[in-house]
Amino acid sequence: MKLKLNIDELTDDFFTDTRLLGITATVKNYQFCWQLNHMLGYSFRLNPEIEIHLRRKERSYFFPVYQHEVRNSFLSHYLYHNHFDGEYLLPEFRHMDFLWLMKGDFVDEDNCKQMVQTIKSISGVQMVAELTNEKIRNKGHLVF
């Protein structure tokens, strides 16, 4: 009997109880993280262990992921850079520069709205929108 790994099921499990924001900004990823850390009191740090590696057109593309762990909680925040050398992590959202995934614990609507307003107030941020799982065609690219 052969066992087959169901990638779609694993991806769906990964996205259980998550929220995803798409952010358009004209700042570099390290500047954006510094501003988030300063304004929200977070500690986003580059995590090379979960960097996303995609192979397309016989080339390798690397998408950095910044991580912040919330103390005394299961909640983690992941900030993905959506483009690298002309390619996109989520091509369906090519107008988004960053993808912010909140995972591990429930994030209520009021807390999410307050976070969106704070992000919008950052210099260089042009747009922030919540992305629903149904709109994401390439969800597997965010799984680490």
Side-chain angles (χ1 to χ4, degrees):
M1 177 172 129
K2 270 189 174 178
L3 296 176
K4 187 177 177 184
L5 187 61
N6 187 337
I7 300 298
D8 292 335
E9 193 173 303
L10 285 174
T11 301
D12 288 343
D13 285 347
F14 181 83
F15 282 96
T16 301
D17 294 329
T18 62
R19 293 191 94 140
L20 183 66
L21 302 176
I23 303 163
T24 303
T26 59
V27 295
K28 301 281 186 192
N29 48 5
Y30 59 89
Q31 292 170 321
F32 185 56
C33 285
W34 183 87
Q35 290 182 35
L36 289 172
N37 290 344
H38 181 71
M39 293 185 80
L40 294 169
Y42 285 6
S43 60
F44 273 107
R45 299 283 183 257
L46 182 63
N47 187 341
E49 293 179 14
I50 58 175
E51 177 179 70
I52 306 297
H53 173 245
L54 294 180
R55 185 128 177 98
R56 293 186 186 145
K57 303 174 190 170
E58 298 185 27
R59 288 191 58 205
S60 292
Y61 298 93
F62 302 92
F63 300 90
V65 181
Y66 294 81
Q67 182 177 5
H68 166 71
E69 302 280 336
V70 177
R71 286 185 190 173
N72 302 322
S73 171
F74 294 111
L75 183 62
S76 294
H77 296 269
Y78 301 96
L79 188 69
Y80 300 78
H81 200 213
N82 192 36
H83 49 82
F84 177 85
D85 199 24
E87 282 294 326
Y88 297 90
L89 185 59
L90 293 183
E92 61 270 31
F93 297 111
R94 63 181 55 233
H95 59 284
M96 299 290 183
D97 297 301
F98 300 99
L99 305 163
W100 183 332
L101 179 70
M102 294 166 259
K103 177 178 176 41
D105 205 350
F106 179 74
V107 178
D108 65 36
E109 191 67 30
D110 291 337
N111 193 1
C112 189
K113 283 181 180 180
Q114 182 181 6
M115 195 177 310
V116 166
Q117 290 305 317
T118 302
I119 296 167
K120 283 181 179 180
S121 72
I122 293 175
S123 176
V125 172
Q126 298 169 336
M127 183 179 80
V128 181
E130 186 162 5
L131 308 175
T132 59
N133 287 341
E134 298 80 37
K135 293 181 181 178
I136 306 170
R137 290 192 310 260
N138 295 294
K139 278 189 228 182
H141 291 177
L142 299 177
V143 178
F144 42 83

